[in-house]
Each structure stands twice: as C-alpha cells, then as structure tokens.
Amino acid sequence: MKRLWMIVALVGLGSSAGADVKPFMDQMLNEIFLLKPYIVSESAFKDPKNSEKINASLKKMEELSRQINHESRIKKTGFQISGQVLSQQLKETELVFQTGNKSYSLWMLKSTLGVCMSCHTQLPAVSTKFTTLNSGHILVNPFEEAEFLFVIRNFDEAMKLYAQAIKGYPKNMVTSDSVEKSVYRQLFYYARVQRDFKSLASALKESLSNKELPKGLAKKISGLLAAADAMKAETYPSFSNSQETEFRKYIETSLKDELLGDFKFDSPKKELMYLKVSSVLFEYLNLYPETPLKPDILYWLSLCESHYSHRTFYSLPEL
C-alpha cells in the first residue's frame, strides 16, 4: 500500500484543535480500529459478510466529520481546509462502497493519507499510546505499520518503524519510494511536531549507516543532515497577537527570496527553513484564528508547502 487510512485524518485534530472536538475524535478513533482488519485485506473488505460492518463505520465517520467541520475552532484555523476535503472524500467513499464497487472504495480509503499528515504535522504535539487496541493487527511491512501509527498520532512507535524501514532496505519489504517517504516523515516530525533539529540530525545520521540506500537518496540525506546540523541550535520564535508587525517582519525576512519568485528547490537548508517557518505560521493561526493576517498567513503557507507537493503528502496548496 502506498498510502493508508485517509479516514483517520481528523483524529489528529482532537488534541491540537481543542477539547470541543475531542468527543468526536474519540468516536472516530473507535471506528478506525474497527475498520483496520478490513482495510489491510482487500478480500476481507470485499467479503459480503463484512459489508454491513464496513458500511456502518464509513457512514458513522462521514457523519462525525461533518459534525467536526461545524465546530468553530475547526472553521477558523489551519484545519479548516483539510477537514473539508476529508469530509467530502469520506462521503464519496461511502457512496462508492454502497454502489458495490468495493475495490475502488478501498482504493479511495487508502489514497489520501496525505490529508491526514497535513493535519498531524501542523502543530507541536505529544505521542499517543494505543498499543493494546492495535496489538491484534500489526502489519508485517514496517513502513505500512508506521503509516498507521503516524496517522493515529503514535509518533514514538512510528518513528522507530520508519527508521527500521530505512535501515532494513533493500532486504525488507519496503520499496525505495517508501524509504524516501520515511525520510520525509522524519523531517516533518522533528521539524514541526518536535521542533528539534538536533534529533533530526541524529535520525538522518542513523539512516546513512545503511550503505545500500539508492545513491540519489543517500546524497539527499547527506545534504539534509548537514542542514540539520547547522540549524540544531536554532529556536522557534513565538508571537502574541499584539506583535503583528514583528510577526510579519520575521516571515517576510525568512521568505524574502520566495516572495520575489526565487525558489531554490534543490537546497536542503531551504527545505528545513520552510518547515520551520510553516510551523510558526500554523501556530500563530491556531492561537489567533480571528487574526486579520489570515489571508497573508495562508499565502505564506502556500509558499512554504508548495515545495512538498507529491513528496510525502498533500501540501496546503493542493488541498
């Protein structure tokens, strides 16, 4: 599977977007674990005897996503766009399943993990623990299991499996494409969720211990490692709503080249800078959803995130 479990995208909103949506998140999480045995097996997903259970879960999650999107906290923050996309795709997935095209419905269900990641990597967060609930359906492929764990915000275990996927290549079941995605999962996690370039450098250094990585990817990781080492002492600035001038100055200084149309997509340092700046932008928007700077923030985010289009998951411009 290239991508998994689009439906769990909104689970990540619970801890990031506030207590007002948490009851919906808890219900959504329950449906996720009910569906996992069927999502990982196409034959089980298509088996008529499972149709009633699967359809009930899809319907429940579509209803929950609509309720979540009506919450004012979601409607005003950076979660709004991805929340709307997920709600629409859940509705379409349910309709396709009901018409009988179960293979296509399953493909739709697996095809938009990127929307999940766009939510889960917006803000700093702590790892969840769902070991007991997940113990009966562990996937053999470390990358696929890592994807599921990342989506349910079990970051600690997901990072271990992404590292395992990279170090075990090519003798494990992980493709070179998935290895590259694993590296970018590490970038987003350490730069935006953990805000820790020192730990990112350590993870990248560990990845390079695998001398059988594709040459192009090894070169890419080496460049990112050098950039992370150079940034490991940097801190992330925070601004109050009375510091709009200072906030704007920081962003426009950081994105000076991009605002002039000069994008250096081959620069590892720029890649990490985009992640850092976008982290600051998402945090400000989450703290001050009524800010008059919201149109500017969305524009600045598009400059940062357009670089990651098709790289690992949907960027804000794609959504």
Side-chain angles (χ1 to χ4, degrees):
M1 305 173 201
K2 288 186 177 181
R3 294 171 179 171
L4 304 170
W5 298 285
M6 171 276 290
I7 49 172
V8 286
L10 293 176
V11 173
L13 302 181
S15 59
S16 298
D20 50 350
V21 299
K22 190 177 186 304
F24 301 122
M25 298 303 99
D26 291 341
Q27 295 177 63
M28 186 80 81
L29 183 63
N30 182 62
E31 300 302 327
I32 292 166
F33 282 107
L34 288 176
L35 271 180
K36 186 180 180 184
Y38 309 119
I39 299 176
V40 301
S41 169
E42 183 171 358
S43 60
F45 194 84
K46 295 170 65 176
D47 191 331
K49 71 180 182 182
N50 299 323
S51 294
E52 186 176 348
K53 292 180 181 179
I54 295 171
N55 189 61
S57 286
L58 292 176
K59 185 177 180 62
K60 179 66 173 178
M61 286 184 288
E62 192 275 325
E63 292 173 350
L64 288 169
S65 70
R66 283 190 284 108
Q67 290 177 284
I68 291 168
N69 280 328
H70 286 304
E71 293 295 327
S72 60
R73 187 64 172 171
I74 298 300
K75 292 166 68 175
K76 296 176 182 178
T77 64
F79 298 121
Q80 178 186 16
I81 298 172
S82 50
Q84 290 174 348
V85 171
L86 283 164
S87 185
Q88 179 62 32
Q89 292 199 7
L90 275 172
K91 181 178 181 180
E92 293 177 2
T93 300
E94 181 199 355
L95 289 174
V96 171
F97 185 84
Q98 290 177 347
T99 62
N101 194 344
K102 295 179 180 179
S103 293
Y104 184 52
S105 178
L106 179 59
W107 177 84
M108 291 180 68
L109 207 53
K110 296 176 182 177
S111 68
T112 49
L113 171 63
V115 185
C116 312
M117 301 298 187
S118 73
C119 288
H120 292 188
T121 57
Q122 285 186 18
L123 301 170
V126 295
S127 181
T128 60
K129 305 291 183 183
F130 296 111
T131 306
T132 302
L133 287 172
N134 194 44
S135 60
H137 304 286
I138 303 297
L139 299 173
V140 177
N141 184 311
F143 175 75
E144 292 178 358
E145 182 65 16
E147 294 284 83
F148 179 78
L149 293 174
F150 200 104
V151 169
I152 64 172
R153 301 177 67 87
N154 192 339
F155 299 125
D156 293 345
E157 296 302 316
M159 286 302 111
K160 294 176 184 177
L161 288 176
Y162 284 131
Q164 181 181 324
I166 298 168
K167 291 181 66 177
Y169 177 85
K171 297 177 182 179
N172 54 18
M173 296 182 291
V174 180
T175 65
S176 58
D177 181 62
S178 295
V179 170
E180 182 176 11
K181 288 181 180 179
S182 295
V183 172
Y184 275 84
R185 297 288 191 261
Q186 292 176 329
L187 294 190
F188 273 74
Y189 173 70
Y190 289 112
R192 290 217 304 215
V193 179
Q194 284 285 86
R195 292 184 164 187
D196 185 352
F197 286 112
K198 184 176 180 179
S199 292
L200 173 59
S202 296
L204 293 171
K205 185 176 182 180
E206 182 180 357
S207 296
L208 282 177
S209 66
N210 182 352
K211 303 304 180 183
E212 296 186 71
L213 291 175
K215 291 183 179 179
L217 180 58
K219 181 179 179 181
K220 181 72 173 178
I221 295 174
S222 294
L224 290 167
L225 173 57
D229 272 329
M231 298 174 69
K232 62 185 179 182
E234 292 189 14
T235 58
Y236 287 65
S238 182
F239 301 90
S240 69
N241 61 351
S242 64
Q243 295 178 300
E244 289 183 359
T245 301
E246 293 87 343
F247 174 67
R248 177 183 288 276
K249 182 179 179 180
Y250 169 76
I251 300 300
E252 292 185 341
T253 298
S254 300
L255 299 177
K256 179 180 178 181
D257 294 335
E258 289 70 25
L259 289 168
L260 294 174
D262 183 11
F263 290 85
K264 295 181 174 62
F265 289 136
D266 60 344
S267 169
K269 184 177 180 180
K270 282 283 189 179
E271 287 198 55
L272 299 189
M273 183 274 289
Y274 292 145
L275 289 172
K276 178 181 178 180
V277 172
S278 60
S279 179
V280 174
L281 287 167
F282 275 124
E283 181 179 56
Y284 191 90
L285 182 58
N286 188 65
L287 290 172
Y288 313 112
E290 303 284 2
T291 175
L293 291 176
K294 186 172 183 177
D296 294 308
I297 291 174
L298 293 176
Y299 174 61
W300 293 328
L301 280 170
S302 74
L303 295 178
C304 293
E305 296 221 312
S306 60
H307 175 74
Y308 297 100
S309 175
H310 306 299
R311 180 77 72 172
T312 52
F313 44 83
Y314 293 113
S315 63
L316 189 64
E318 289 179 289
L319 294 176

